[in-house]
Amino acid sequence: MLSEALFALAAAQSVSAHFKLAFPAWRADTLAHEDTSKYSQWTYPCAGVPYGAGNVTDWPLDGGSLKLELHHPWTYVFVNLGVGGNSTNFNVSLTPEFWNTTGSGTLCIDKVPLPVMVDDGALASLQVVTVGEAGSALYNCADIRFKKDAQAPANCTSGGIKVTAIREQNGNGTTGGNSTGGNSTGGGDKKSGSPGTLGVNAVALGTVAGLASAAFAMGLGF
Ligand SMILES: [Cu+2]
């Protein structure tokens, strides 16, 4: 009896753990399949879910919304893009300043800027990676199609999550000085020596339902 109760508790915890990629829609519900071990979020690059297993969501040409449900006390979040259908090479980082999130709840970013040019109608996949205290990573992927007229999710609000953008050492993130969001004209080379200057992503994060503490730490070894 006791062992059954403990097992049930452990199972319940494993289901509520890890994270959900709510928008764009993930390839498959990897939380629901956790117990059957059909998919595992521990599996690189996409939790064991093949390309095309789920929906293809339209996403704007210059970047779009990202909505996650986070369940751990804290996690680092990275978002990568693989261009093309069935890409397994997620070599475009959408988070040159990765996100340090704390709390359990919903994180919705209005616009994750796209650092590359894409054609209308081009296929791609997003890979969301979360890294916890053990240094091991969890993965979920969403298949997208870049469209000029892509619809934003109906409701992009965050709750329960505090997020900070962390500047990676030697990262090549654009360091704009202004807050026009996504179209930095601050230009050139202000990578160092300007603490307090928010990069494009940090500006975007600042729009998260007033919950964002817009700050970043320089040179965090990772
Ligand atoms: Cu977990």
Side-chain angles (χ1 to χ4, degrees), residues 14 17-19 34 42 72 138:
S14 79
H18 294 353
F19 76 101
E34 226 166 39
W42 300 106
H72 291 183
L138 298 170

